[in-house]
Amino acid sequence: MNKTAFAYALLVASCFAAPSTPLLAQSAQDVQSAMQVLKSKTAQAGAPSLKGEEELEGHKVPVLYLGTKRVNGDFAIVDEVQKEKGGTATLFVKSGEDFVRVSTNVKKPDGSRAVGTVLDPKGKAIAAIRKGEAFAGEVDILGKPYLTAYEPMRDAKNQVIGVYYVGYVKQ
């Protein structure tokens, strides 16, 4: 296990695992496994980069690419992760100080995909992402509690250009 994977495993374990909560420890494993699948599928598509801008649900956002695959509005990868692992998955793009969902299967209360919504600018996850760090823990997403993991997405110059997200609605 490399240093990053070990640090991530410790982070996930510290956020969820406690001797008296084996159910949460299992959920942490599910979250970690789903993140591995999401990152594997995006890596297979190619290196992340930004090319141009577009209007998306009232936001002017950069267009995210994985290799030559345009990600904005394409749900194939996030839906594959959901099909394999359950839960939800999202790819965010950095737009100014915000991170905007450009590919997601997180649903809004009306049942539509939450494309164009932003990562909570006051939440725990974004605080870690802004420091270039991963986050794992419970967060509120559009009014529902989720067990989640977020990791910075970096381009070839090691700049944070987006975020990988996976999560499960907390029962």
Side-chain angles (χ1 to χ4, degrees):
M1 179 182 287
N2 67 33
K3 191 175 176 182
T4 301
F6 181 72
Y8 183 71
L10 284 177
L11 174 67
V12 169
S14 70
C15 289
F16 295 112
S20 63
T21 57
L23 182 60
L24 290 180
Q26 178 60 43
S27 295
Q29 292 169 357
D30 291 343
V31 171
Q32 183 178 15
S33 177
M35 180 60 79
Q36 290 170 345
V37 170
L38 176 60
K39 290 183 72 179
S40 173
K41 289 185 178 300
T42 58
Q44 289 170 10
S49 64
L50 303 177
K51 297 176 187 166
E53 289 186 327
E54 71 177 1
E55 197 68 30
L56 183 68
E57 301 293 323
H59 298 275
K60 190 170 189 173
V61 299
V63 179
L64 176 64
Y65 281 81
L66 298 171
T68 59
K69 180 181 178 69
R70 186 180 193 279
V71 176
N72 293 29
D74 184 323
F75 311 115
I77 291 174
V78 296
D79 287 351
E80 287 173 22
V81 173
Q82 186 174 50
K83 184 176 180 182
E84 288 182 33
K85 304 307 282 182
T88 56
T90 295
L91 298 172
F92 291 86
V93 68
K94 185 174 185 189
S95 180
E97 293 299 311
D98 290 327
F99 290 87
V100 180
R101 288 177 180 88
V102 294
S103 179
T104 189
N105 48 39
V106 170
K107 299 290 188 335
K108 293 191 266 186
D110 68 6
S112 65
R113 292 181 190 256
V115 172
T117 59
V118 298
L119 180 59
D120 182 355
K122 296 177 183 159
K124 297 179 275 188
I126 201 166
I129 295 297
R130 285 185 175 144
K131 292 189 268 184
E133 299 171 357
F135 171 84
E138 185 177 328
V139 299
D140 179 88
I141 300 174
L142 304 174
K144 292 182 182 175
Y146 282 76
L147 297 176
T148 68
Y150 295 80
E151 289 192 28
M153 178 187 296
R154 298 177 185 276
D155 65 10
K157 296 178 184 174
N158 205 33
Q159 299 296 308
V160 175
I161 63 167
V163 176
Y164 302 98
Y165 153 87
V166 294
Y168 293 85
V169 175
K170 191 171 176 191
Q171 301 293 331

